């Protein structure tokens, strides 16, 4: 059952046009009612949700400043109430940036680990392989003039100390300089109540990021999770471990819900969430069986086709990497780097 019409997404988004060209395209934005006073809002291929109450709005990820300004104006016009809460799914820049737009009226809630992630970058890790290629003068730092790709696009967000160079530590922290820090943090679960409406945030462990929360709307029987819950779409990477992913999806599926709302692409139902968990379980048990039978990684990749998930987005591009990641975990070899 498809809950929503598939909204027109510019084909340019899907065909890998360079970021500079994409920036010229007006973003695809929409607000769709899910049920009751719960809405899903779109900015290209990123989504957030918000719940309207007579005393204000409880929303999730702000996504970015430009979208945040648009959403704030839409909410003010349509519902005539302020945004009272911003509940973060996790700290990644592409979901969590731009919250400052709502700082005049909102309380910001995130998992405690989000504060650690936003803190000054620690240690002195080496540049990543990609950043090393940018480092033309070989001084171990990426100057603004050397920066390209994501570091070039969002240099100021990487340059935590504003010194005009990006270090290995600043790269490890990520381009999260425009993420407005949570003013309230929690550890296991946290419930926000406004005008009698409730939203509960539940920590999902270490899958994808160690500060991931699922938002649970009990009266609406809905959940929202960015990057962990997916509908007919496989995870980008199964990191840090397959066990962490199974645990996270199990925590979501233990909730009583009907609407599975995601941070990217399609939304769906509890059945879709169960299918995502089944993929992880079959991936895990399939690789374990191969290892137990003494098969090599290429042999397992050849035989463990996970065909019943063929219609899922990214099946053809990520399946072999997922098998390799689980194989590495089971063999006790280090997982591939940079697999968030
Ligand atoms: Zn993420």
């Amino acid at each position: 059952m498809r809950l929503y019409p598939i909204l027109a997404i510019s084909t340019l988004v899907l065909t890998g046009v360079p970021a500079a060209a994409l920036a010229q395209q007006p973003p695809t934005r929409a607000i769709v009612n899910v049920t009751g006073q719960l809405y899903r809002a779109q900015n290209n291929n990123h989504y957030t949700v918000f719940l309207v109450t007579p005393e204000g709005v409880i929303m999730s990820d702000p996504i970015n400043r430009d979208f945040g300004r648009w959403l704030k104006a839409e909410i003010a016009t349509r519902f005539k109430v302020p945004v009272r809460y911003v509940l973060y799914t996790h700290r990644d820049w592409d979901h969590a940036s731009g919250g400052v737009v709502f700082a005049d009226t909102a309380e910001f809630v995130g998992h405690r680990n989000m504060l650690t992630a936003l803190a000054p970058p620690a240690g002195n890790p080496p540049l990543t392989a990609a950043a090393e290629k940018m480092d033309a003068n070989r001084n171990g730092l990426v100057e603004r003039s050397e920066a390209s790709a994501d570091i070039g696009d969002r240099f100021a967000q990487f340059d935590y100390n504003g010194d005009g160079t990006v270090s290995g530590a600043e790269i490890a922290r990520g381009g999260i300089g425009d993420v407005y820090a949570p003013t309230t943090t929690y550890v296991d679960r946290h419930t926000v109540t406004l005008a009698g409406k409730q939203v509960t945030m539940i920590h999902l462990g270490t899958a994808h990021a160690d500060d991931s929360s699922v938002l649970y709307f009990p009266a609406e029987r809905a959940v929202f999770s960015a990057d962990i819950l997916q509908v007919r779409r496989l995870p980008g990477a199964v990191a840090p471990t397959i066990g962490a992913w199974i645990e996270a999806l199990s925590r979501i599926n233990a909730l009583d819900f009907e609407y599975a709302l995601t941070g990217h692409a399609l939304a769906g139902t509890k059945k879709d969430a169960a299918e995502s968990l089944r993929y992880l379980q079959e991936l895990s048990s399939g690789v374990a069986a191969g290892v137990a039978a003494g098969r090599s990684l290429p042999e397992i990749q050849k035989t463990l086709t996970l065909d019943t998930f063929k219609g899922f987005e990214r099946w053809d591009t990520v399946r072999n990497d997922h098998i390799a990641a689980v194989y590495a975990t089971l063999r006790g070899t280090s997982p591939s780097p940079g697999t968030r």
Side-chain angles (χ1 to χ4, degrees):
M1 164 175 142
R2 192 201 293 156
L3 286 175
Y4 315 112
I6 296 174
L7 294 156
I9 294 171
S10 162
T11 51
L12 294 173
V13 174
L14 304 171
T15 51
V17 168
L22 265 185
Q24 308 306 317
Q25 302 294 321
T28 300
R29 289 177 176 156
I31 293 173
V32 176
N33 181 249
V34 177
T35 180
Q37 289 301 302
L38 180 62
Y39 295 81
R40 189 177 188 225
Q42 175 191 15
N43 187 67
N44 291 330
N45 196 29
H46 285 77
Y47 294 81
T48 189
V49 296
F50 63 92
L51 181 66
V52 181
T53 83
E55 290 175 25
V57 161
I58 303 170
M59 64 174 273
S60 187
D61 299 323
I63 301 180
N64 64 49
R65 280 193 202 208
D66 194 51
F67 171 75
R69 282 189 208 103
W70 174 83
L71 183 63
K72 186 178 185 176
E74 289 288 321
I75 288 172
T77 305
R78 295 186 193 204
F79 305 107
K80 318 226 178 309
V81 287
V83 171
R84 295 283 305 278
Y85 290 95
V86 173
L87 311 182
Y88 287 119
T89 60
H90 66 307
R91 87 290 202 127
D92 282 350
W93 71 273
D94 60 324
H95 297 275
S97 293
V100 67
V101 167
F102 303 98
D104 56 341
T105 56
E107 176 180 327
F108 294 74
V109 189
H111 187 266
R112 188 172 64 185
N113 291 345
M114 195 172 164
L115 281 186
T116 315
L118 295 177
N124 193 23
L127 293 179
T128 57
E132 217 171 292
K133 286 195 189 113
M134 298 173 203
D135 182 19
N137 66 2
R138 318 302 287 164
N139 67 346
L141 301 163
V142 176
E143 277 81 18
R144 191 182 284 271
S145 58
E146 295 173 335
S148 61
D150 57 332
I151 299 173
D153 288 345
R154 292 177 296 110
F155 192 88
Q157 276 69 53
F158 278 94
D159 184 14
Y160 181 89
N161 61 7
D163 67 355
T165 67
V166 167
S167 67
E170 286 170 329
I171 291 169
R173 176 175 171 269
I176 50 180
D178 198 31
V179 177
Y180 194 86
T183 50
T184 300
T185 61
Y186 79 99
V187 177
D188 294 323
R189 61 166 64 206
H190 179 80
T191 297
V192 163
T193 305
L194 187 63
K197 299 293 266 182
Q198 290 196 328
V199 186
T200 297
M201 302 174 75
I202 299 155
H203 186 219
L204 294 177
T206 59
H208 182 67
D210 67 2
D211 58 354
S212 284
S213 300
V214 61
L215 272 56
Y216 179 44
F217 301 82
E220 290 72 23
R221 301 192 67 233
V223 292
F224 176 64
S225 149
D227 293 344
I228 292 179
L229 178 63
Q230 320 253 359
V231 168
R232 297 188 62 75
R233 183 176 193 257
L234 300 183
V238 182
T241 64
I242 184 76
W245 272 83
I246 290 173
E247 172 67 25
L249 252 299
S250 298
R251 282 186 204 176
I252 293 172
N253 284 342
L255 300 167
D256 174 32
F257 70 93
E258 171 65 18
Y259 302 98
L261 308 175
T262 64
H264 295 283
L266 296 176
T269 65
K270 182 149 199 179
K271 193 164 162 269
D272 294 303
E275 282 293 277
S276 292
L277 178 57
R278 188 169 68 85
Y279 170 81
L280 296 168
Q281 288 164 334
E282 291 188 12
L283 170 68
S284 176
S285 60
V287 177
V291 169
R295 291 198 200 102
S296 68
L297 174 58
E299 285 168 338
I300 298 171
Q301 284 169 325
K302 203 169 164 199
T303 52
L304 184 59
T305 55
L306 298 159
D307 271 344
T308 58
F309 303 96
K310 221 169 189 166
F312 281 43
E313 186 183 338
R314 306 201 276 210
W315 175 89
D316 52 339
T317 55
V318 298
R319 189 180 46 90
N320 278 340
D321 290 344
H322 288 178
I323 293 171
V326 176
Y327 183 85
T329 300
L330 290 178
R331 296 292 303 267
T333 51
S334 64
S336 47
T339 49
R340 275 264 323 283

